[in-house]
Every structure is written in C-alpha cells, then in structure tokens.
Amino acid sequence: MQTEAQQLVEMGATLAQARAALRQYKDVMQAAEKIFEGAFDNVDDQDIAMASTSDSKRTRPATPDIEDEDMGSDDAPDENEDDDEADYIDYDSDFEAQPAGGQPLADVDPYAGIFFSKDRKEEVIEVEEQPEVVHVPGFIGPVSLMAQGEWMKGCPEGGEQSFLFSLYSQLTEGECSCPHCGASVKRNKYDFFALYPDFSTYIEQLRKIVGQTCKACNSEFCLACSEPSATDKAKREAGKHDALFHCSNLQGVILGVGLSMLEQLFIEQIQEPRESKEQNSRTTKRRKTDQATASDPDDEDATYYGTLRGTKKKQIGGVGYAGDVKEDNTGQLEAQAIQHAKDEKIGKLLSEIRVYLPNLHREGGGQTSDYLVHPTALAHLRRRFNYICSTLLRNDSLADMSDRSVLYFELLHWLETVSSHEALASMMAMPIMVVVSVKGVTVVRERTIVYEGSSSPRELLEGIAIQAQAALKGLEGTKPQEAPQKELTEEQKRMTVDLKGKAKEQTVGLSDENQKLFDFCNRILTTANAIDRSLRETKGDAFVERLHTSLPKVFTSSSSSTPFQIDAGATEESAQKAYVEWASRVRFEYCDLTIPTTNGEEDTSPHYKFYYNNEARMLANSDIPKRSLAIAKELAILTTNLPVAWNSSIFLRVDETRVDVIKALITGPEGTPYYNGWYGPISVIRFVISDNNLSYLFDIFLGSAYNQSPPSVKYMTTNGGKFRFNPNLYADGKVCLSLLGTWSGPGWVAGRSTLLQVLISIQSMILCEEPYLNEPGWANQGGSPASRAYSANVRRMVVKTAMLGNLKTPPEPFGDIIRTHFRLKARPIAAQLDKWLLEDDGKSTTGDGGGYGAAGKIEPGGSTNGLKKDVDEMKALLVQLEAGKSF
C-alpha cells in the first residue's frame, strides 16, 4: 500500500488523501480519479476519523483480466489498516458520514464535490508560451508542439494541475524502459504532443510509435506506460485490438490533444462571424429595459426593439414610423452554406475524438482504457469540451439547432457517452466553469483568469428539452411519416427510450421540414431520458433526484394545486432576488383557456374569450403544415426566452390542447409612465398588458397564413373605446407598429419574424419614457410642457385603470401573477405612487391623452382630479397584500 500511496503523492495528493483513497479503492487509478473529483478534499494531514461507507459503496465495473503482475498487487490489508477504516468521505456517493463519537453529521452534503454553488470562483494562472516548432521524422513540414501551459489551460492548482503536470512530464521527459529486460527507449516530446494539421494525422502518427519492440529481448511494450502489450495478442489476432486503447496514459493524452484541437477550431469559427458583424453592424436605437434575456446587441431581432433608454435623441418619424427602410436579406443562403460547412467540420472532429472517450458499451466490448480512466480525461472534458458544450446548448433557437443537426446530433451523442460511464457521469451535474474576468498581467506572458460556475450540461440540455416539448405540441394534428424499421445496435437499443405519451398521435403525414423538426425534438428528448437512465445506473436514484431539483421546468394549471409561494424578505435586494426567482418559474405555463359551448350548439368546437374567437374556431380542425411549423418554432422560443427582470417582465399562458391560443401579460418598464403596470392577456393570442401596474389587453390571432404574414393584434383596454394610453394604442383598438404592417417601415419578415419580437417591441418601444414623442408630429418635443402633461395624464389613467382595476378584478388566468407582483413590489410601488402624486399637474384626466397644451402648472398637492384618492386606496391594498390578507 505504501508504494501506491507514494505514487498518488507524486501525482499531487497529500499523504492523508492518498491513504484514505486507497482504503476505499484498491486500484491506484480509481483512487486518483476520486481524489481528482474532490471526494477527499476534506481529508487533512491529521487523518480526521470518519465513519466507514462500505455499506453504501457502489461496485466498480469489473476490469478485464490482464496478465500484469502490478495490477493485482497489494490486495493484502495493511496491518495498521483497521485503525483507519473510517478516514474516507466519498463526495460522489450516497453515504452517512459520522464523527468519531458515532453521531451523524446532518449538515454534510454527500455530493458537495459535484453540486457545488454556481457562485464558486476559481483563479487560474496561465502562462502564454511560444510554441516550439520541430520536424517529425516521417512527416513533411514543420509541426508545432503543445506547450505545458496550453496542456494545463483552465485548471486550478491542486488535483487537476497535478495530474496534468504528472502525465505531461512523464510523456515528454526521460526514457521508457522495457518491463522485461530494462532496456531503454527515448521518448520525444513530439511523440505525444505534436499538433498536426488534423486529428486523423495525429492518430496515424501516434499509432506508428506507441507499440515498441525491445531490441534487446524482442518483447512488446507500450511507449506511453512501459507496460507489456503481449497480453493483447489474442485480441489483436481477432482484429479487436487497437494499440491506442492499451492504457489510461494514452487515453489521457489523446483526449487532451484532440480536445485542444477541437477548442481551437471552434474558437476560430465563432470569432469569424463576430468580427464580420462588428464591421458590418447596423446602428440600432434600442431602449434599455434591464432584461436578462433577448438583449444581444448583435441579434437580428434588435432591429425591432426601439430606442436606447436614456437617449433624448428620438427617431424623426416617431415609434412605428421608420419611413421606407426595408430589411436586407441578401447573403442569407450563402451564410447558411458557410455555417453548414463549419458545422460539418466540427461535427467530424467531434466524431473522431469520441472514439477515444471511455465507453464500456463500445462495439466489440470495452478496452483496457475504458475501465482505467485517467484523471486528466475528466479534467480536459470539464475545461475544454464543456466550453464548447455550453456555447452550443445556450442556443435559444430550436429551429437553428435543427438546421445544424449535423453538429448537434454529434453533441448529443457525446453527452450520452459521457453520462454512461461511472467515472465521467458526475460531469453532467457539475456547474460549468466559465471565464468571467482576466486580471492584469504582472509577469511577462502570465495572466490570472477568473472562472465562475454556470449551468451544468444537464441543466442546459433541459432548457432545450423544454423547447422540444413545446415544439412537438405545435406540430400536433399531423402524423409523422413511417420510417423503415432498421435493426438497432446494442448501444442504440440501450440509449433509446419509449417516447409514448411524449407526442400525441397525429392524423396526417408531416411535411419534410416538419418531419425534420419532429425528429430533432424527439432526439433531444431521447438523449435527456437516456442520460437520466445512465445516471441512475451509475450514480443512483438519490443523485438523479438531487439533479432534477435544479433543472428548469414548465408547469401546467393542474401540476400544482396551490400557487407558488415566495417571501419578499426584509430588503429591496432580497425582494428583487425573490421576484426574479418567482417570475422565472411562472413566466410560461400551460392552462385551460376555453369556455363551455352553449347547449344545443351544433358546432362543438370550444369558444375562447377574445376578439378573434370566430377565426380561431374556424381553424380548429385545420391542418396547415407551414403554420404548424411556425407555431412550433414560436413555442420553442417563448418557453425559455421570455424576458424576466425586476424592472419589466413578460408572462405567457398557453392553452393545453390548442397551442395557438395564448395570453400574454407585460409589466411596464422602469422609468416610464407605465412602470409596474400590467399589459396582459393575449388569446390566440389574447394579450392583456398593463401600464405601470396597468393592464392592457391585446387579442392576438395567429391566422392561417402565419408566419408568412404577421399576427392580427387588437388593443382591448380602451374603456369602451374611450381611452388612449399611447399614440400607438388607438381608442378603437388599433396597434400602430411597422412590424405588424400597420405603418410604413421595417416590417414583418416572412419565416423570420416572431411573436417574441412583437411582445418586446410593445414592451420597449410603445411603453416608453416619453410616450408623447411616439406621435410623428411631436417627435422633436422631448421634455416639452406638452410631453410632461401627456405623461402625467397617462399616470393618472394607470393608477385608476391599470393598478386599481387590475388588482381588484384581475384578468384570468393572471390573478395570482398580478397579486404576487404587487405583493413583492409593494414598498417600491408605494414610493412610486407618492412620487407620481407629487409630480402631478392637477389637471383633469382625459381619455384621449389631453393636456397637450402648456397650461399653467398647479402646485403639487393641489390636485382635485381624484389621483390622491386612487393613490390612497392603492396603498391601502398594498398594505393588505403584504399582510397576507385577501380582498
């Protein structure tokens, strides 16, 4: 045991960690893996006694019989071993840790090394080294060598760096001795760390030199580990042996070099379009709404989102009146072809590297390196593959992922393979460490990189799975084409799940494009279920249940009998955190939005309480493939991309059986006369929006030609056709927006524009800081008395109609949303009401936004227009909400 402990110490472990690991795992490499995973971080040099976990240990997969004298050594227990049986805590298993006194430690987390906080930060000192260039015998042209700094990139000091340093040193320094006679063979740095033009060349060159024959005794051995390879003769003769699977050292270096090549290629490809965008980007005026999502300035959707908040310079034509500017679609097909070529290249490289991932289920059975996983394999997967994985899985467009399926199918295959191996499976639940800052350089070519935790691979995949489920709902009503049955491989059978119930039986065949999206969505759900099943097999039910608590979810009205409860806390900071947590949970839900049909009515199609009810019923039994595909893509976007923030959010409710029936609720943005108001429901879409705690109802219908043409939108919060809260929201219900085709300017782009763009355009362009300026004739009068009078009039309507009206009689199904919104924001809203009352000009409220003239100002507090009464009543209701009382 002492020999193995010393070996672990040389790899970077402390003596106490080495001893504790070897008591639990007799195999040196498995003990090293557990130390690397952080399972022994709490074991110090004083060997604090812990309770034995032998009852809860998992059985390690059996290693194939290998006639290697060193592999089975040291099975006899150390004479002092009995005194230290309790020195081990495995943070990657389910156990009951106890102190020496025998009392359980209730606060010990058995998965602390895996489910660590996303707030965790790591500082890594990285050294930039000029790559060494050499000429490799048998290869034409110069070749760069991977420097040690590049090999250890992204790994903090401790276990990861120690294992990486040890392997790099072993394979670049000294000589390799024959295990039989001791004769030496020199190792060259280019043997294992030459960066050839492509990965296949690297593998070809490596295969030429890895199997060595001793010139002295004619025995065969591996250049990477110095172990005999003669025991593999039977497999080699049967054609099932590959020298590159001989040992874990080869596995570690192949994955490290391969993933480095992959990372470099990926970075080069994603930087090209960014540089192009920076050179050719169009200037967009967009008002800032402090949204956590849908705010990429380079996103093509940004063109529709309005002016920048805080800028006084307004568009000459007002909002929704952009003249004759047209959308430029030139070069789109060329760009798609270029992207497809890039995806094929990355997908091919991923496929080539995946062959060398540890995989006990590979064709022909597991190889030696599949059972003995090198610790550096997990290090490179976490630091290199996870960067690529997180970048691709953060794609918020399911349609884009489906179009790039050549790359995403390979990525899903990787995730399945990783999750199926016990030594790698924990990576699926670990937060991905991403770069958040680079500290100043103090030494030449040396810099400190700060990494911070982010969503785990399984958590990111769940976000896409939610989009896939929503898209499948949108595709319902048609039947997928019958594909010829093919015999599945054993691995495919193991990974395939029964998706009965995931997609409803459909009635007619799908179009090619719909079928493509349908297959892609099912592939995503298959992968998510296969990963969970593999994790249950390798990590246990407790691990999977713990993992699922952190995954994003979409709820239905029947999924919970009671509303989601959350406390605002004592400070504004705690209230903001609680609000975002709550809003993120409830922003998108499925529910029943139908109303009963009248007795004796021949047409049994359900009714919907919204302006376009008749049009919706006419399409109840229709099948329009292009429309179904468009709605499927819309739902996929909306499930995970609705903006949620303390200052302004959008909430959706979708009918459980008719996904083109939708209601939307929008809170007015901060700094506007609409702040904290509600704009909400859309039904098929019915849409109610509130302005600064005011609810504005819009009925939106996705017609038969959607999305070749824009949705029909009707503004319903008009007080019987009397109120006009904004120049773009007419008293007759017209919504003036070029995106909807109701005014000239950049309009709806068939097949590309989305409902999310419409919602955010209303949120950011119409519900703006100075709504008076939205009218073309007044666009240059920012800060004028007329503009201030218009905003004051809007605020009075907001308090009476949007705040009081919606709180007393909230529109269904948003009652809980509106009450929770006002409860969590009660204190800042009360302060906001006091400020509005102080700023009021005392004029009477007019339904057409009156007060355009510059009449004399009335002293603050001298108002007799009813605002003070409304403010007092609203504040009293807020107090009741905070106290938990109903009204």
Side-chain angles (χ1 to χ4, degrees):
M1 180 175 180
Q2 190 62 32
T3 303
E4 287 77 5
Q6 183 60 36
Q7 186 177 350
L8 290 173
V9 170
E10 291 175 356
M11 292 182 181
T14 66
L15 181 59
Q17 290 173 334
R19 293 176 61 195
L22 288 170
R23 291 187 194 97
Q24 185 67 20
Y25 302 98
K26 300 301 180 184
D27 182 81
V28 176
M29 294 310 300
Q30 191 176 13
E33 293 162 16
K34 294 301 178 181
I35 293 174
F36 166 67
E37 290 178 2
F40 299 91
D41 286 352
N42 281 17
V43 178
D44 57 28
D45 291 334
Q46 298 178 0
D47 283 340
I48 299 176
M50 298 287 179
S52 174
T53 60
S54 58
D55 292 340
S56 61
K57 289 189 298 181
R58 295 182 304 276
T59 302
R60 179 177 176 273
T63 304
D65 293 334
I66 301 175
E67 297 175 13
D68 184 349
E69 296 177 0
D70 294 335
M71 292 301 296
S73 64
D74 205 32
D75 283 339
D78 193 308
E79 62 180 357
N80 296 323
E81 196 168 321
D82 292 340
D83 297 333
D84 299 314
E85 277 295 318
D87 282 1
Y88 168 71
I89 299 181
D90 183 359
Y91 287 103
D92 194 15
S93 65
D94 192 9
F95 79 110
E96 285 186 33
Q98 294 182 349
Q103 296 298 321
L105 296 175
D107 59 343
V108 173
D109 183 357
Y111 301 119
I114 300 173
F115 296 103
F116 53 83
S117 170
K118 293 177 185 176
D119 294 331
R120 172 175 172 177
K121 292 186 177 181
E122 296 175 349
E123 291 190 359
V124 179
I125 298 177
E126 296 185 358
V127 179
E128 296 181 6
E129 302 176 69
Q130 190 68 25
E132 183 181 352
V133 179
V134 299
H135 287 272
V136 179
F139 183 80
I140 301 175
V143 177
S144 297
L145 301 182
M146 177 179 282
Q148 180 177 298
E150 177 63 22
W151 169 256
M152 300 171 64
K153 176 184 176 182
C155 296
E157 292 183 7
E160 287 186 341
Q161 274 198 6
S162 300
F163 290 124
L164 289 165
F165 177 78
S166 175
L167 182 60
Y168 189 87
S169 299
Q170 181 181 351
L171 298 181
T172 57
E173 301 173 1
E175 299 177 336
C176 174
S177 299
C178 172
H180 296 285
C181 68
S184 297
V185 176
K186 180 176 175 56
R187 285 193 183 109
N188 300 294
K189 192 173 182 178
Y190 58 73
D191 289 337
F192 298 98
F193 294 98
L195 299 176
Y196 293 97
D198 54 74
F199 183 71
S200 59
T201 302
Y202 172 77
I203 291 298
E204 180 184 347
Q205 294 293 118
L206 192 59
R207 186 172 276 115
K208 291 178 181 179
I209 56 94
V210 70
Q212 294 285 321
T213 300
C214 180
K215 295 180 179 179
C217 65
N218 206 36
S219 62
E220 298 180 1
F221 62 96
C222 174
L223 183 64
C225 66
S226 302
E227 298 295 340
S229 55
T231 54
D232 296 319
K233 179 180 275 188
K235 283 188 175 182
R236 184 166 62 249
E237 291 175 351
K240 297 181 180 180
H241 174 72
D242 187 332
L244 299 185
F245 293 100
H246 175 266
C247 64
S248 62
N249 283 356
L250 279 170
Q251 174 199 81
V253 72
I254 290 173
L255 287 177
V257 173
L259 288 172
S260 176
M261 291 180 175
L262 176 66
E263 182 184 43
Q264 185 61 36
L265 175 63
F266 187 76
I267 291 174
E268 289 174 357
Q269 292 195 359
I270 63 176
Q271 283 179 345
E272 288 177 7
R274 286 180 180 175
E275 293 171 358
S276 176
K277 282 185 179 181
E278 289 176 2
Q279 295 172 1
N280 303 299
S281 61
R282 294 172 295 176
T283 302
T284 59
K285 297 182 178 181
R286 179 176 178 179
R287 189 178 62 75
K288 184 178 179 182
T289 57
D290 284 334
Q291 295 163 356
T293 58
S295 59
D296 183 359
D298 288 334
D299 193 277
E300 64 184 13
D301 298 350
T303 19
Y304 298 106
Y305 294 169
T307 58
L308 291 171
R309 160 134 353 175
T311 55
K312 294 298 181 181
K313 186 177 180 181
K314 301 291 182 177
Q315 197 171 0
I316 295 299
V319 171
Y321 308 88
D324 297 323
V325 180
K326 297 184 181 297
E327 187 77 15
D328 182 9
N329 294 321
T330 59
Q332 183 178 354
L333 293 178
E334 181 183 357
Q336 290 176 346
I338 293 173
Q339 183 62 59
H340 184 74
K342 291 180 177 179
D343 290 342
E344 281 190 327
K345 190 173 183 179
I346 295 178
K348 180 176 181 292
L349 182 53
L350 274 169
S351 178
E352 292 174 348
I353 300 172
R354 176 168 51 82
V355 173
Y356 299 94
L357 278 176
N359 184 3
L360 300 176
H361 308 282
R362 72 173 69 250
E363 186 177 353
Q367 301 280 347
T368 304
S369 61
D370 294 326
Y371 292 87
L372 300 175
V373 180
H374 201 281
T376 58
L378 184 57
H380 286 301
L381 285 170
R382 288 187 61 206
R383 302 293 171 169
R384 296 185 188 274
F385 170 71
N386 266 356
Y387 162 71
I388 298 167
C389 173
S390 65
T391 303
L392 293 175
L393 292 183
R394 290 181 196 279
N395 189 339
D396 59 9
S397 172
L398 188 71
D400 178 67
M401 288 184 275
S402 177
D403 291 339
R404 302 173 63 189
S405 58
V406 65
L407 173 58
Y408 277 90
F409 277 160
E410 182 58 38
L411 175 64
L412 295 176
H413 204 155
W414 266 71
L415 295 177
E416 290 175 351
T417 304
V418 168
S419 65
S420 68
H421 199 292
E422 182 180 4
L424 306 179
S426 59
M427 190 185 89
M428 299 304 299
M430 290 182 179
I432 296 174
M433 304 303 293
V434 297
V435 176
V436 292
S437 66
V438 179
K439 293 189 176 181
V441 179
T442 57
V443 182
V444 177
R445 300 194 310 275
E446 183 177 295
R447 58 183 181 176
T448 301
I449 313 295
V450 180
Y451 291 83
E452 187 174 71
S454 65
S455 299
S456 68
R458 181 62 184 86
E459 185 176 349
L460 292 172
L461 180 62
E462 186 66 15
I464 298 177
I466 288 173
Q467 293 187 47
Q469 289 170 335
L472 288 175
K473 274 184 169 288
L475 292 172
E476 286 176 1
T478 56
K479 186 177 181 180
Q481 296 172 350
E482 293 288 342
Q485 294 293 325
K486 295 182 179 180
E487 183 66 21
L488 300 178
T489 65
E490 287 301 314
E491 183 176 3
Q492 288 174 327
K493 290 178 181 178
R494 195 185 70 81
M495 290 297 181
T496 302
V497 296
D498 184 7
L499 290 175
K500 291 179 180 178
K502 292 291 183 183
K504 294 185 178 180
E505 284 298 321
Q506 303 178 340
T507 56
V508 297
L510 291 171
S511 67
D512 291 343
E513 193 173 2
N514 290 29
Q515 183 72 52
K516 179 182 177 182
L517 182 61
F518 183 88
D519 293 340
F520 184 71
C521 291
N522 279 313
R523 180 67 171 88
I524 290 171
L525 298 180
T526 298
T527 297
N529 283 277
I531 288 173
D532 288 348
R533 187 173 60 254
S534 295
L535 291 176
R536 289 188 188 278
E537 294 172 358
T538 59
K539 298 297 181 184
D541 291 342
F543 181 94
V544 176
E545 296 308 317
R546 171 72 175 273
L547 171 61
H548 279 194
T549 60
S550 65
L551 300 183
K553 299 174 179 64
V554 170
F555 297 90
T556 64
S557 56
S558 58
S559 63
S560 177
S561 57
T562 58
F564 178 57
Q565 299 294 328
I566 191 165
D567 182 27
T571 65
E572 183 171 338
E573 182 180 359
S574 64
Q576 291 187 15
K577 183 178 180 180
Y579 187 93
V580 172
E581 178 186 348
W582 160 76
S584 298
R585 179 185 171 100
V586 302
R587 61 182 169 180
F588 185 98
E589 290 185 6
Y590 294 103
C591 60
D592 184 3
L593 299 177
T594 62
I595 57 177
T597 56
T598 306
N599 290 336
E601 194 174 357
E602 293 184 5
D603 186 356
T604 58
S605 301
H607 286 272
Y608 304 92
K609 190 185 297 184
F610 78 114
Y611 186 82
Y612 300 102
N613 175 61
N614 292 334
E615 290 87 338
R617 298 187 75 215
M618 289 176 62
L619 291 178
N621 299 314
S622 65
D623 175 45
I624 308 174
K626 285 188 176 181
R627 177 175 181 264
S628 298
L629 180 63
I631 293 175
K633 292 179 178 180
E634 289 279 11
L635 289 176
I637 294 172
L638 294 170
T639 51
T640 56
N641 290 278
L642 292 172
V644 168
W646 171 259
N647 297 326
S648 183
S649 300
I650 299 178
F651 301 87
L652 285 190
R653 294 296 177 265
V654 180
D655 188 75
E656 293 173 334
T657 58
R658 182 77 185 265
V659 292
D660 54 353
V661 177
I662 306 173
K663 294 179 180 288
L665 194 71
I666 303 178
T667 61
E670 184 179 14
T672 72
Y674 309 97
Y675 183 40
N676 280 319
W678 285 101
Y679 301 78
I682 314 176
S683 246
V684 163
I685 287 174
R686 176 181 182 179
F687 179 13
V688 182
I689 293 188
S690 61
D691 223 342
N692 221 7
N693 296 312
L694 162 66
S695 292
Y696 293 89
L697 177 63
F698 294 78
D699 284 6
I700 304 176
F701 180 58
L702 307 182
S704 59
Y706 188 80
N707 66 354
Q708 297 303 303
S709 60
S712 300
V713 180
K714 195 73 173 179
Y715 172 50
M716 305 299 291
T717 309
T718 62
N719 192 24
K722 298 176 184 178
F723 281 0
R724 183 181 183 184
F725 285 92
N726 189 288
N728 293 77
L729 303 175
Y730 283 51
D732 64 358
K734 178 181 179 181
V735 178
C736 191
L737 201 64
S738 64
L739 184 59
L740 296 174
T742 50
W743 201 265
S744 61
W748 186 267
V749 181
R752 294 180 59 195
S753 296
T754 66
L755 176 60
L756 183 61
Q757 291 175 354
V758 173
L759 297 177
I760 296 181
S761 294
I762 294 173
Q763 179 194 38
S764 61
M765 294 175 66
I766 294 180
L767 307 180
C768 58
E769 185 176 357
E770 284 190 87
Y772 184 80
L773 307 186
N774 283 5
E775 187 66 42
W778 309 331
N780 294 320
Q781 299 184 38
S784 66
S787 178
R788 293 197 299 269
Y790 189 96
S791 294
N793 189 72
V794 169
R795 290 195 293 265
R796 290 191 292 270
M797 290 191 292
V798 165
V799 175
K800 179 177 289 292
T801 307
M803 292 187 175
L804 277 174
N806 283 312
L807 188 52
K808 288 180 176 180
T809 311
E812 295 182 4
F814 292 106
D816 290 331
I817 296 290
I818 290 176
R819 284 187 289 269
T820 304
H821 166 83
F822 282 118
R823 178 173 62 83
L824 293 177
K825 303 186 74 171
R827 281 164 282 181
I829 289 175
Q832 170 188 321
L833 290 170
D834 289 336
K835 182 174 182 290
W836 281 4
L837 182 61
L838 185 65
E839 294 175 347
D840 187 60
D841 57 14
K843 296 178 181 179
S844 298
T845 303
T846 58
D848 63 350
Y852 302 149
K857 178 173 173 55
I858 296 177
E859 291 298 322
S863 173
T864 58
N865 54 17
L867 178 60
K868 187 176 188 309
K869 177 184 175 183
D870 292 339
V871 166
D872 290 342
E873 184 178 1
M874 184 65 198
K875 289 172 68 176
L877 293 179
L878 292 175
V879 171
Q880 292 184 47
L881 280 175
E882 280 197 292
K885 298 179 181 179
S886 59
F887 50 86

